[in-house]
């Protein structure tokens, strides 16, 4: 038996990117999948909590605040959301 990481479809990934860019007040082309929110985009802890709360509301999922440590870029956010949806 193999386990695979749950994946998001392109529309969900785009929706997450748009949400993150709105909260961080950035243009879509300023954020890559691997650019770091805090280090490269000056995101503070309140904005990351806002991202988490918005993801919960939009996707109807529950996320632990401990997941914030993984949500440092879009790749991390995609993984956290996909795993929460798979539960």
């Amino acid at each position: 038996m193999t386990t695979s990481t749950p994946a998001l479809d392109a529309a969900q990934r785009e929706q997450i990117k748009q949400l993150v860019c709105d909260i961080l007040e950035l243009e879509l082309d300023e954020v890559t999948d691997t650019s770091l929110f805090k280090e490269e985009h000056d995101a503070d802890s309140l904005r990351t909590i806002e991202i988490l709360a918005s993801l919960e509301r939009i996707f109807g999922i529950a996320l632990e605040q401990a997941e914030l440590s993984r949500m440092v870029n879009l790749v991390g956010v995609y993984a956290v959301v996909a795993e929460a949806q798979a539960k």
Side-chain angles (χ1 to χ4, degrees), residues 14-32 35 37 41 47 51 74:
E14 185 60 32
Q15 187 177 17
I16 290 169
K17 184 173 182 176
Q18 182 67 55
L19 168 85
V20 168
C21 288
D22 287 348
I23 291 171
L24 299 183
E25 299 177 1
L26 298 167
E27 297 297 324
L28 289 173
D29 61 358
E30 292 180 83
V31 178
T32 67
S35 62
F37 299 152
H41 303 299
R47 290 189 189 231
I51 291 169
L74 286 173

Side-chain angles (χ1 to χ4, degrees), residues 7-9 19 26 37 40 43-44 51 53 57-58 60-61 63 67-68 79 83 87:
L8 300 174
D9 63 34
L19 168 85
L26 298 167
F37 299 152
E40 296 177 52
D44 60 23
I51 291 169
R57 187 175 59 254
I58 290 169
I61 55 178
L63 300 172
E67 296 292 6
L68 288 172
E83 290 166 17
K87 290 183 181 177

